[in-house]
Amino acid sequence: MKNINNIKYTLSLALLFLTFSCNDVLVNEDPNGVVIDQLPPEVIFPGAQTVPSETFLSTMNGLGNTMVATWSGNAQQVQAPYFEEFQYQLTTDFYDNIWDNLMARTGNLTQIITNDYDGNYDYFKGASKIYRAFYFQYLVDLYGDIPFTDIHQRGDLLFPEYDNQVDVYVNLITDINEAITQIQSTDVETAIGMGSNDVMMGGNMNKWVKFGNTLKLRILLRMSDAAQTNPDLQTILNTEFAALNNAEFLGTGEDVTINPGYSDEVDRMNPFVETFGYAAGQFGNTANETFSNLRAGPTTYLVEFLNGTTNGVSDSRLQRLYAPRSGQSAIQGNTQGGGDQPSRIGPGLLSSPQQDGYIMTASESLFLQSEAVFKGLLSSGDARSLFQSAIASSFNRLGAPIGTYIMDSNNTSGIGWDGTADKLEAIITQKWIDLGGTNGIETWIEFTRTGYPSNMPLPDITNRPNRPIRLLYPTSEYTGNSANVSSYNQNVDSAFNSPIFWDVN
């Protein structure tokens, strides 16, 4: 895509070590400056980790929470909150910065992967492959076919061709396998450690391997239904799951987070806090909330789901996810597009301007493992125990007292293991509760894949009978890579009736 491959990079060493804002890392090239090809991975990697996470933690998170019944809008404070989202006005401009940012901002990872350096940088290269795969899975999950083989060649290839989405998924599995082998098989005596240059894991390579295995598990589960009618995919699935039976995944207390040194300053706060919380220097001052926080709040559906109205089971995570606004005696919701005033985002999601950003949670990993064991794809572990450990991990991360919740909910349909006929419904519904606000885009994708939670209401103001199932290719592609994108002949309806390959239900 022309607009991506024309990007050139100049990276000041001082700015790169800060790595707080995309403006610190990706700027126009100065012919007298230092070009990225001449910089070592120690300098590139912190920014390569940080800049794509800004889009993930804020834009993608917010979009996902509005595409399922998690967030509503504060109609009393802001005119027509989330109007486009709740009317499902999906166009080529709708959240187009997700494509533009992820495609461009993973370029530094590709640079580390492909460049030849003096010295043994296997740890940096392996971690970059895993982290890049994390974002490219989302690009496939949201758009389908994407450029992958030809990405990030800058001026050498201005118009990259699109790869088949199934092929990209398979290539991501290959990349993760190669990354894990690279990390585990390198010469430890000569390998250059990442240490503090790794703003996610602090150079903990065992955790990078666990992250890679967990990400591969998610990719395999996503494609597992499609594999039932595709012998080639089924062969890959069987081979990879056999290998994963002896693998380590992220476990309790092993959240994957990022923190390059967030501070209470403009453009240097945690991106979620800066987008959905408070202005710099005003954290907790409700008179100085950001525009997005003024309009974001829980849906009535979610509040009633968690306070016991719907199923008779009170869930203390509600008081950590949301908090009453001034004049409210209890947490309340609003329908999507309705006229009521929902409560605000709570302390379990907004703790400080310096809080860590969550890339993948331990609870998500445990839910994935539970699903794989339940489906017979993994033979190690107990699905019920993994499911309940995931719930406990969710409560712990949000700082909510779990009390007797697991026992109280166990026989309740939809949220408890023994009380739910289709265990997948309980797994995905609990994941929806857990990741709402933390990783909203994952909850939308998982709903599209599974249909759970199954009874979520549509927005009041949409004329569509169903939720969208994907995003449209952005305007930037039609202006910069039109020869390759135009053949897809997308229109507005494509967002509702052109499924991603794994969406077979």
Side-chain angles (χ1 to χ4, degrees), residues 308-379:
T309 300
T310 301
N311 50 41
V313 181
S314 179
D315 189 330
S316 66
R317 286 175 291 185
L318 176 62
Q319 284 71 39
R320 298 295 297 171
L321 291 166
Y322 303 98
R325 295 185 188 272
S326 177
Q328 294 178 343
S329 59
I331 296 172
Q332 66 184 50
N334 184 22
T335 58
Q336 292 183 320
D340 294 331
Q341 183 184 48
S343 296
R344 61 168 46 87
I345 297 173
L349 296 176
L350 289 171
S351 60
S352 79
Q354 299 90 4
Q355 70 188 48
D356 292 344
Y358 287 98
I359 302 299
M360 179 177 277
T361 64
S363 51
E364 182 187 353
S365 173
L366 291 163
F367 282 128
L368 290 168
Q369 293 173 64
S370 177
E371 179 182 346
V373 174
F374 162 66
K375 290 182 172 180
L377 298 169
L378 284 179
S379 59

Side-chain angles (χ1 to χ4, degrees), residues 317 363 365-371 373-374 382-394 402 405-406 409-412 414-420 422-431:
R317 286 175 291 185
S363 51
S365 173
L366 291 163
F367 282 128
L368 290 168
Q369 293 173 64
S370 177
E371 179 182 346
V373 174
F374 162 66
D382 177 76
R384 184 179 189 270
S385 177
L386 288 163
F387 169 76
Q388 294 180 342
S389 294
I391 295 173
S393 180
S394 171
I402 193 169
Y405 175 82
I406 291 179
S409 64
N410 182 54
N411 291 311
T412 302
I415 58 173
W417 189 263
D418 291 342
T420 306
D422 182 359
K423 308 308 180 189
L424 182 62
E425 178 180 6
I427 292 169
I428 301 301
T429 300
Q430 284 287 354
K431 189 187 293 187

Side-chain angles (χ1 to χ4, degrees), residues 256-319:
V256 174
T257 61
I258 187 167
N259 197 326
Y262 298 128
S263 63
D264 195 5
E265 303 172 69
V266 176
D267 293 334
R268 296 177 183 244
M269 301 166 68
N270 173 292
F272 178 85
V273 178
E274 191 157 21
T275 303
F276 302 110
Y278 301 90
Q282 299 294 326
F283 189 86
N285 182 353
T286 58
N288 286 279
E289 295 169 296
T290 65
F291 175 81
S292 292
N293 190 23
L294 282 170
R295 66 178 184 167
T299 60
T300 303
Y301 175 83
L302 175 62
V303 172
E304 293 181 349
F305 200 97
L306 297 182
N307 68 13
T309 300
T310 301
N311 50 41
V313 181
S314 179
D315 189 330
S316 66
R317 286 175 291 185
L318 176 62
Q319 284 71 39

